[in-house]
Amino acid sequence: MRGSRGATSAAPAVRFERLTVDYGTGKIWSDLSLQVARGAFVAILGPNGAGKTSLLRAVLGLISPTAGSIEVLGRSPRRGDPAIGYVPQHSSFDPDLPLRGRDLVRLGIDGHRWGIGWRDADADARVARAIASVGAEPYADAAIGRLSGGEQQRLRIAQALVGDPAVLLCDEPLANLDLRNQQAITDLIHAWQERTGGTVLLVTHDVNPVLRLVDEVLFVVNGRWAAGKPDDVLTSARLSDLYGSHVDVVQVSGRLLVVGQSTETGLNLDEPHHAPIPVDGHHGLR
Amino acid sequence: MDQLTRLLAYDFVQNAIAAGVVVAIVSGAVSRFVVARNLSFAVHALAEIGFTGAAGFLLLRLPVVLGLLTGSVLTAVSIGVLGVRARGRDVVVGVVMAFGLGLGVLFITLYRGYAGQALAILFGTITGVSRTDVVLLGSIGAVTVAALALIYRPLTFATVDPEGAEARGVPVGPLAVLFLVLTAAAVAVAVQIVGVLLILTLLITPGAAAERLTPKFGRAVVYSVAIALFCTLGGITLALLTDRSVSVFVTSLSFACYLAARFVVGPALLRQSRRGSVEASGAAR
């Protein structure tokens, strides 16, 4: 883990202590203990239905642990904590929805407040800065449902960051994006982290696009989990143990692939790996 | 024009116009959210069971408006509590609506009074609106609009981005139920002009037309109210001049607005904004 860059107090960004979460019929997490240091980038991996989204929802205070505890920045999770930014799993907007990207980002500032919400120059300026920081100015005033997946995702990230959070939770932010956009979104998140010292918890089914940034991975299968540095966790031995059947972690053209009978697609991706593109300055957040 | 000026002197005409303004403002504002939240079928059910309530109150010789309100609000609460999630919602709506409408039929068969009043609830009327009705409609309308203004921002958030809204602490579930209740109030009000069977013309069409005219959420609400005002007041005027049913004109005008917004004005605006954004991005380079 990358130490406590940008930390303002000793408490870790997120601490899971013997966390167990039940959801409907069964346990999705049992006995998860993990500390995420401030400024760390943690990738949460695992097959579909492993409870990755539920873990983020528990951090957001939207579902309560059955046993154990969670602390976010040294306190219990609470709904609507402004210190947490959230990029929900991508669901595209209706093309006819009258909503501009600018409106979506604005909701991140005061969308939870009562009343109509009149013009506010200060809020408008913050929205404009957040939009600029993700490079979305050219299309921020168009109907968001008519934008491409990558453009919509940039605006979602701008919404998550407009409130200056300390922790950013992203749920599959790279799904349905082509490699170029995966790279661009990853760079945006990284640039924000470099500048603010913020902490990132990112759920993904493919670790490769973020592998160079990841300090630690949390891999979960059927309620069992393994956490640690990527090199330690993403090995044939650890993952075979986790899946309870033999799987191979292989490196092909610089990409990590998990192959086995019970892995579903796991970390596979058919496309060739592209060399990381350096983060360029103008993507930097304020 | 002369004919219209002469008609304006009549009490029932003044009442109809006052009621029309209330109906248009309430249904135009609510309609935008009904469309964005995919509640068309639920609105239909609110109106039909509103009819049951009205028929029941008619039987008991109580004010019809309050019967409508009772029926539609009870339905809204049932739908809200039984099935807020979109997937189960339509099924719950269908189940509740079928039973409710059956009751309405029973009430009407038991009712021995003037059958025209039941017909007015189904197809709408402007002649039946009394001064007392106008005051009642105005009060229901004012409360509805005030409540909608109060929840406007979180409701918008919950409508366009439910996951994001929930994470920011917006009570998404309770807001869904509350909005259904406001929709029920709007239905009870709008039935006065267009009737139960034609309710969608004021609670769907203005909102559906407005979203074609602007990418700004707030502006779409304003446009929706403007379209509803145009259709309602235009419909009342034409009904007065021709002595035909008001519903015919309101539905025709609102359908015309929708067609114009969808196939003429909307596409033109879209082409214009595409050109604009191409120029803007060209300038940025």
Side-chain angles (χ1 to χ4, degrees):
Chain A
M1 230 174 259
R2 198 184 288 170
S4 55
R5 197 181 39 155
T8 51
S9 82
V14 184
R15 185 212 305 267
F16 302 104
E17 193 68 48
R18 308 209 60 175
L19 176 73
T20 300
V21 173
D22 295 347
Y23 203 72
T25 48
K27 278 192 171 50
I28 43 180
W29 294 89
S30 10
D31 240 5
L32 172 69
S33 295
L34 182 70
Q35 284 200 20
V36 179
R38 298 203 184 198
F41 191 122
V42 177
I44 302 166
L45 308 168
N48 290 334
K52 293 170 291 183
T53 297
S54 300
L55 187 70
L56 296 189
R57 288 174 61 82
V59 174
L60 286 164
L62 296 175
I63 52 179
S64 319
T66 318
S69 65
I70 307 175
E71 274 181 16
V72 182
L73 305 166
R75 23 177 223 263
S76 298
R78 57 189 172 93
R79 279 165 170 263
D81 188 342
I84 304 177
Y86 180 49
V87 180
Q89 193 160 5
H90 182 80
S91 55
S92 56
F93 294 92
D94 186 317
D96 292 325
L97 180 71
L99 185 79
R100 301 171 302 169
R102 193 177 298 282
D103 299 326
L104 183 78
V105 177
R106 173 67 190 263
L107 288 170
I109 294 182
D110 55 10
H112 59 292
R113 298 231 174 91
W114 302 113
I116 288 181
W118 303 105
R119 295 203 71 87
D120 177 342
D122 177 52
D124 287 348
R126 286 170 67 194
V127 168
R129 279 200 299 270
I131 289 171
S133 74
V134 298
E137 296 110 319
Y139 45 82
D141 291 309
I144 194 166
R146 296 183 186 270
L147 302 179
S148 74
E151 290 167 342
Q152 292 187 15
Q153 198 59 274
R154 284 166 188 261
L155 288 159
R156 282 193 176 283
I157 289 173
Q159 187 204 47
L161 298 184
V162 73
D164 280 328
V167 178
L168 179 63
L169 309 179
C170 301
D171 197 349
E172 294 281 6
L174 309 176
N176 307 319
L177 297 183
D178 59 21
L179 276 177
R180 191 178 54 83
N181 272 309
Q182 287 187 354
Q183 193 68 59
I185 296 295
T186 309
D187 288 345
L188 281 178
I189 294 171
H190 182 55
W192 169 77
Q193 194 171 27
E194 285 284 303
R195 202 182 42 266
T196 63
T199 309
V200 176
L201 269 68
L202 184 143
V203 165
T204 178
H205 63 277
D206 180 14
V207 73
N208 286 294
V210 292
L211 196 55
R212 71 201 156 86
L213 302 175
V214 163
D215 299 302
E216 190 157 351
V217 297
L218 171 60
F219 204 112
V220 61
V221 181
N222 300 331
R224 292 149 52 83
W225 56 275
K229 290 194 190 313
D231 288 348
D232 298 336
V233 174
L234 302 175
T235 63
S236 300
R238 284 290 290 276
L239 293 191
S240 292
D241 186 39
L242 204 56
Y243 275 99
S245 68
H246 183 75
V247 298
D248 284 311
V249 177
V250 292
Q251 203 157 20
V252 181
S253 317
R255 290 176 67 77
L256 281 178
L257 302 177
V258 179
V259 190
Q261 288 182 323
S262 54
T263 57
E264 296 181 19
T265 50
L267 305 179
N268 296 324
L269 241 186
D270 300 332
E271 295 156 304
H273 185 51
H274 288 207
I277 300 162
V279 179
D280 54 353
H282 76 264
H283 278 329
L285 287 155
R286 172 166 63 89
Chain B
M1 212 67 227
D2 277 356
Q3 198 186 348
L4 205 59
T5 329
R6 215 168 39 248
L7 280 167
L8 276 174
Y10 288 102
D11 260 3
F12 88 93
V13 175
Q14 293 170 0
N15 291 344
I17 289 171
V21 170
V22 172
V23 165
I25 293 172
V26 176
S27 49
V30 168
S31 157
R32 194 69 275 294
F33 287 96
V34 167
V35 172
R37 297 175 75 87
N38 264 325
L39 288 173
S40 309
F41 190 45
V43 165
H44 198 60
L46 295 179
E48 301 218 335
I49 304 182
F51 166 74
T52 302
F57 273 49
L58 206 59
L59 198 60
L60 301 169
R61 312 223 172 271
L62 293 169
V64 170
V65 178
L66 292 182
L68 276 164
L69 191 65
T70 309
S72 59
V73 167
L74 283 179
T75 312
V77 173
S78 325
I79 295 172
V81 172
L82 292 177
V84 168
R85 286 179 177 279
R87 239 179 97 211
R89 198 176 55 210
D90 277 0
V91 176
V92 171
V93 169
V95 169
V96 174
M97 182 166 83
F99 170 67
L101 205 55
L103 274 183
V105 173
L106 172 70
F107 294 154
I108 284 297
T109 50
L110 290 176
Y111 180 58
R112 293 273 168 254
Y114 172 54
Q117 215 164 344
L119 219 57
I121 301 168
L122 285 176
F123 297 106
T125 175
I126 42 167
T127 49
V129 184
S130 68
R131 183 65 34 119
T132 327
D133 286 340
V134 171
V135 173
L136 201 53
L137 290 180
S139 318
I140 300 171
V143 171
T144 308
V145 170
L148 192 63
L150 184 69
I151 63 169
Y152 179 83
R153 258 186 301 185
L155 183 67
T156 304
F157 204 172
T159 300
V160 302
D161 179 15
E163 290 87 8
E166 201 183 13
R168 291 292 280 124
V170 172
V172 173
L175 272 181
V177 178
L178 182 56
F179 177 68
L180 271 174
V181 171
L182 295 183
T183 308
V187 165
V189 168
V191 160
Q192 299 304 309
I193 299 287
V194 290
V196 164
L197 295 179
L198 307 168
I199 193 76
L200 299 183
T201 197
L202 283 180
L203 276 161
I204 305 289
T205 318
E211 73 179 8
R212 303 280 170 170
L213 302 178
T214 172
K216 298 185 183 178
F217 197 89
R219 192 166 291 184
V221 177
V222 174
Y223 287 174
S224 182
V225 171
I227 292 168
L229 272 170
F230 168 74
C231 299
T232 311
L233 295 181
I236 290 172
T237 309
L238 291 171
L240 288 170
L241 292 177
T242 59
D243 201 20
R244 304 262 173 224
S245 167
V246 63
S247 320
V248 179
F249 296 108
V250 177
T251 49
S252 305
L253 286 175
S254 81
F255 189 51
C257 285
Y258 178 75
L259 291 180
R262 170 137 194 202
F263 295 110
V264 184
V265 187
L269 288 171
L270 205 61
R271 275 195 301 275
Q272 204 181 338
S273 80
R274 286 235 176 85
R275 256 203 311 281
S277 71
V278 167
E279 278 158 19
S281 60
R285 283 182 200 110

